[in-house]
Structures are given as structure tokens and as C-alpha cells.
Amino acid sequence: MDAESAIGSSVPARRNALPSFTQGSGIGQGLAANLPTPLADKVRDLPVAYRELANSYRTAKDTRTGKTLKRRNIRLHTTLAASLRRQLVHDKRLLTIRDLVPSYYVDAALTFMRNLPTAQFIEAADQFRDRLVGGDAGFEAPNHYSITKENDDWLEDMKDELMLAGTKGLHGHMINAIVEAFLTQLHQEGPAEN
């Protein structure tokens, strides 16, 4: 799934419109070592984005670490939300994890990307917004996604960073661009869908 098909074939994609995970923050490197053995085995030979997804899944399931998940209202574009659901169904089968939910993808995407420079987020959000101008599809109703406190805090900090950069209305587009880039990474580097 390239950037164009992630958001819908009727919306033209610009070349290199989204930050590259392979040149991104690198947070996900070596995550399999921190996972319980059965989960680590499921993602061992998969790209780093899958290890980040597994880490998000593990964090949500672990009640002993004291990590608090925050529920946050996020509006995903309708075609992006549909792409997320398709990827989720594919990954349930691939990983044989039946209780995957969209929150794990949103949280993993935020964790994986949050150390990139603010300028990259602004550019990706601008480009995401530009691709939607005049389109027929809109955003889904706000949905609550459970994300880590670190990611919730980072999103709040990014509101300030975007304000300092003199941008308006990009926060939601930034989140959509991050999730889109993560889904693209999973699709492009993951095993072929059946």
C-alpha cells in the first residue's frame, strides 16, 4: 500500500510526501528483545514496524508496569480508517493475535515517529491536508484511542510546537499523516497479503 492507496486512489499522492520510517526516529530498533517470548517469536523476522506494533500490544496488555493508557479523541480520515481496519484484519491472521485493535496501531505509529523534527511533521501534515482539498470523503466521527501517557503528552507538546511554528489546523492532519505512514510501512515491508 503506497501513500496513494492508503488514503484512496482518487486522491493523488505526492512523491515522498511522508517521512520515511527507515530514516526516521529508529525507536523501534531492538524491541523484540523486550517482548515476552511468544510475542517476540511472532514478529522476529518481520520489519521493525511490526515490532513496534507488538510493543504497543504488550504495553496495553501489561497491567504490572504501572503504565497508564490515556483515552484520546482522534479523527481519522474515512479512507485511512478503512485502510487501518484492512491492515488490522491482515495482521490478526499473520500474527495469530485475535484481539488486535486500532488503538495499538495509533499508539505504535506515534511512538515510532515522535522523535522526528517538527518540520517533518509540519510538511507531512501540510501534504496530507493538500491531498484532501476538494475531495468527497471526510473524517470519521471522533473516536477514543487508548495510547500511552508518553504519546498523549507528546501530542499535547506538538500542539505548542505547531503553534510556535505559526501553523493552524494541522494537529489532526499530522496525526493522520503519522498513522498513514505507519500503515504504509507495515504494508510495504510486511509479508504479502493472502
Side-chain angles (χ1 to χ4, degrees):
M1 174 187 318
D2 58 17
E4 181 175 340
S5 62
I7 196 66
S9 59
S10 64
V11 179
R14 293 183 185 169
R15 218 162 206 224
N16 298 322
L18 300 170
S20 169
F21 278 103
T22 57
Q23 297 172 8
S25 65
I27 290 174
Q29 302 295 329
L31 284 173
N34 299 329
L35 297 171
T37 302
L39 189 55
D41 289 345
K42 290 176 188 276
V43 297
R44 178 165 285 113
D45 296 325
L46 294 175
V48 69
Y50 273 101
R51 292 194 297 274
E52 191 63 67
L53 177 62
N55 192 52
S56 178
Y57 174 81
R58 182 194 200 282
T59 299
K61 296 294 183 184
D62 189 359
T63 58
R64 293 168 291 146
T65 62
K67 290 209 175 210
T68 304
L69 295 181
K70 299 286 188 172
R71 290 178 51 84
R72 188 172 187 102
N73 275 336
I74 296 174
R75 293 184 73 186
L76 294 181
H77 191 270
T78 54
T79 52
L80 180 59
S83 293
L84 192 154
R85 289 188 294 271
R86 283 191 301 275
Q87 186 69 44
L88 185 146
V89 169
H90 171 263
D91 293 340
K92 278 183 172 184
R93 295 171 182 159
L94 171 69
L95 302 172
T96 62
I97 299 175
R98 301 303 298 169
D99 58 346
L100 287 177
V101 296
S103 289
Y104 305 147
Y105 290 81
V106 173
D107 185 62
L110 294 170
T111 300
F112 205 67
M113 295 285 284
R114 70 179 183 228
N115 284 346
L116 292 173
T118 300
Q120 280 191 280
F121 293 118
I122 292 170
E123 180 182 355
D126 271 335
Q127 291 172 356
F128 186 91
R129 181 180 57 194
D130 288 350
R131 290 191 345 254
L132 302 178
V133 172
D136 294 333
F139 288 84
E140 291 195 334
N143 197 350
H144 285 94
Y145 293 90
S146 296
I147 60 175
T148 61
K149 181 182 182 317
E150 293 85 2
N151 284 333
D152 189 62
D153 291 346
W154 180 78
L155 286 174
E156 287 301 313
D157 290 344
M158 282 307 296
K159 283 182 182 177
D160 296 337
E161 293 297 320
L162 294 173
M163 182 177 63
L164 289 172
T167 65
K168 291 187 180 190
L170 282 185
H171 196 257
H173 294 294
M174 179 196 75
I175 295 169
N176 274 264
I178 289 170
V179 173
E180 182 182 49
F182 189 72
L183 292 179
T184 300
Q185 181 78 10
L186 288 172
H187 187 82
Q188 286 179 341
E189 293 191 6
E193 294 183 30
N194 295 326

